[in-house]
């Protein structure tokens, strides 16, 4: 395979403080296409999730900065925005004063889809959920990490929000969104609950008022100092994910970019092709030499991701994000094993991300 291009993941707009992050798809040979563009529009949030890598700040990215950055990006001749998805994130993007205006701008600039990564309790107000749909957002990825209230509140650092979170899901499902997805960060508090969590969500999706298709998205965020005490070995979580896939209550998919579990662990790729990555951010990756153990030396700080040296021979290497640096520093790379063929989820030919 030809060498990968230089790191294209972070694109700054004219020296401003807006950072636009592309997710890149490796097509045939060395060709690369932008798959979606992620835009952080605020650093404010109501929750204090234990897995969150974002700094706790009380500010929005100014509307002028965001709008200028998106307009400049859309004018670039090397980016076909009509085939891309604009993903609004944060913090909690729904708290940004210009949230709906930014969504409308993305629609007016011609992005193939506009979506949001958000917390489900933000949509407990049915009128607000409707306003989000009316602004042009068609895909919502709602964070909801446990169907057990005690775990939900502990993980999110909140009290009394569980019922609002469930109501937010119900409100979004009652609207004709193209998709509503639940993001579950798999950790030692909830990994055994993946089948039951899927069953709980399936009950919401089966309600008479539900109109939007629902799926469960699994992520493994681990680049956070607190995360070292919360992460669970992928090999321990894999059997529960496989069981949820086999029970088939809901479609189960992988999170985009770096925050996905390698499908070589526990036979996850065979359990569900939808867990196979199609694209990834070109984050700096260290290939640990044969025989490396974290007890001997930590992964170099210059690298965000870690793979085993044998991963260079894996058919999934161009798109697999490998392991997070914190995770590899605790558990090593022994779980990774090259797979002989490229795993493809249904609809691989589409460049617009499907959650």
């Amino acid at each position: 395979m030809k060498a990968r291009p230089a790191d294209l993941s972070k694109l700054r707009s004219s020296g401003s403080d807006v950072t636009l992050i592309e997710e890149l798809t490796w097509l045939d040979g060395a060709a690369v296409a932008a798959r979606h563009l992620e835009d952080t529009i605020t650093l404010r949030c109501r929750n204090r999730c234990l897995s969150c890598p974002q700094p706790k700040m009380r500010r929005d990215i100014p509307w002028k900065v965001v709008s200028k950055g998106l307009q400049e990006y859309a004018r670039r001749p090397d980016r076909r925005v009509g085939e891309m998805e604009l993903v609004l994130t944060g913090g909690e993007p729904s708290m940004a004063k210009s949230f709906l205006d930014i969504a409308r701008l993305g629609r007016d600039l011609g992005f193939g889809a506009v979506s949001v990564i958000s917390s489900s309790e933000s949509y407990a107000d049915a009128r607000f959920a409707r306003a989000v749909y009316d602004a042009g957002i068609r895909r919502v990825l709602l964070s909801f990490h446990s169907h057990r209230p005690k775990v939900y509140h502990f993980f999110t650092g909140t009290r009394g929000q569980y019922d609002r979170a469930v109501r937010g899901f119900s409100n979004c499902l009652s609207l004709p969104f193209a998709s509503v997805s639940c993001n579950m960060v798999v950790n030692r508090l909830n990994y055994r609950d993946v089948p039951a969590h899927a069953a709980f969500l399936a009950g919401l999706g089966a309600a008479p008022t539900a109109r939007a298709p629902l799926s469960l998205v699994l992520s493994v965020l681990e680049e956070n100092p607190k995360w070292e005490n919360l992460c669970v070995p992928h090999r321990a979580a894999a059997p529960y994910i496989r069981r949820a896939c086999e029970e088939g209550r809901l479609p189960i998919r992988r999170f985009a970019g770096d925050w996905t579990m390698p499908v070589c662990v526990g036979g996850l790729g065979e359990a569900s092709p939808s867990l196979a990555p199609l694209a990834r951010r070109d984050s700096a990756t260290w290939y640990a030499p044969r025989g490396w153990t974290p007890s001997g030396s930590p992964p170099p700080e210059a690298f965000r991701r870690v793979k085993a040296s044998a991963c260079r021979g894996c058919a999934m290497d161009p798109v697999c994000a490998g392991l997070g640096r914190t995770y590899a520093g605790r558990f090593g790379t022994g779980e990774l094993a090259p797979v002989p063929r490229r795993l493809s989820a249904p609809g691989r030919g589409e460049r617009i991300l499907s959650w």
Side-chain angles (χ1 to χ4, degrees):
M1 176 175 292
K2 297 179 181 179
R4 296 181 188 174
D7 188 347
L8 302 173
S9 59
K10 293 185 178 180
L11 307 170
R12 301 194 70 82
S13 174
S14 301
S16 69
D17 61 354
V18 62
T19 299
L20 307 175
I21 302 178
E22 292 178 317
E23 187 185 359
L24 305 175
T25 302
W26 272 264
L27 304 174
D28 296 333
V32 175
R35 187 175 180 83
H36 80 235
L37 184 72
E38 182 179 300
D39 188 3
T40 297
I41 62 176
T42 185
L43 295 176
R44 292 190 291 154
C45 190
R46 302 179 187 89
N47 299 343
R48 292 294 180 265
C49 295
L50 296 176
S51 62
C52 184
Q54 293 281 23
K56 303 299 186 293
M57 300 177 68
R58 296 182 177 276
R59 72 181 185 96
D60 295 344
I61 307 302
W63 156 253
K64 290 183 179 180
V65 172
V66 175
S67 59
K68 180 180 179 182
L70 290 177
Q71 290 176 58
E72 289 180 352
Y73 183 90
R75 287 197 295 266
R76 288 176 49 171
D78 58 337
R79 289 296 177 258
R80 299 165 63 181
V81 296
E83 298 182 9
M84 294 176 60
E85 182 164 18
L86 173 63
V87 184
L88 306 182
T89 184
E92 172 48 54
S94 66
M95 294 182 68
K97 294 179 180 179
S98 57
F99 171 49
L100 298 182
D101 289 331
I102 295 169
R104 296 185 190 100
L105 175 62
R107 178 192 61 192
D108 294 343
L109 289 174
F111 280 89
V114 181
S115 61
V116 63
I117 300 176
S118 204
S119 298
S120 57
E121 69 270 8
S122 301
Y123 302 85
D125 183 337
R127 292 173 299 180
F128 180 74
R130 181 73 207 196
V132 170
Y133 178 84
D134 290 343
I137 289 175
R138 289 297 177 265
R139 306 178 196 271
V140 289
L141 177 64
L142 304 178
S143 297
F144 182 66
H145 308 295
S146 178
H147 65 289
R148 293 188 288 148
K150 185 176 181 180
V151 175
Y152 172 86
H153 288 134
F154 179 77
F155 191 81
T156 59
T158 62
R159 297 196 313 187
Q161 286 202 152
Y162 175 85
D163 290 341
R164 287 179 54 83
V166 174
R167 188 161 65 250
F169 258 104
S170 297
N171 287 339
C172 288
L173 287 169
S174 69
L175 294 165
F177 284 107
S179 68
V180 175
S181 302
C182 169
N183 174 33
M184 181 184 189
V185 176
V186 179
N187 62 83
R188 68 176 177 83
L189 303 175
N190 66 9
Y191 74 98
R192 295 184 178 91
D193 294 338
V194 174
H197 194 69
F200 175 84
L201 291 168
L204 298 180
T209 56
R211 300 170 64 186
L214 176 64
S215 62
L216 174 60
V217 174
L218 301 178
S219 62
V220 288
L221 293 168
E222 68 274 283
E223 298 309 313
N224 173 318
K226 295 181 181 179
W227 188 249
E228 189 170 357
N229 295 321
L230 278 173
C231 58
V232 63
H234 296 334
R235 61 180 178 273
Y240 298 95
I241 297 173
R242 287 185 63 102
R243 185 192 305 171
C245 292
E246 291 163 359
E247 290 177 355
R249 301 292 188 92
L250 276 184
I252 299 180
R253 310 183 192 281
R254 86 284 176 268
F255 199 91
D258 289 344
W259 306 318
T260 183
M261 187 183 299
V263 292
C264 63
V265 178
L268 291 178
E270 287 74 19
S272 175
S274 295
L275 291 172
L278 303 182
R280 61 164 298 216
R281 297 167 189 165
D282 195 20
S283 301
T285 302
W286 180 61
Y287 288 79
R290 187 185 301 274
W292 173 81
T293 60
S295 60
S297 61
E301 292 187 5
F303 297 91
R304 288 183 55 198
R305 311 298 297 180
V306 176
K307 293 185 180 181
S309 58
C311 292
R312 293 186 184 278
C314 178
M316 298 296 295
D317 187 45
V319 292
C320 177
L323 304 172
R325 185 178 177 277
T326 301
Y327 179 97
R330 181 169 183 181
F331 298 115
T333 60
E335 296 173 302
L336 302 177
V339 296
R341 63 184 180 85
R342 187 78 165 261
L343 301 170
S344 297
R348 172 163 171 70
E350 299 178 3
R351 290 188 182 176
I352 294 179
L353 179 66
S354 296
W355 280 331

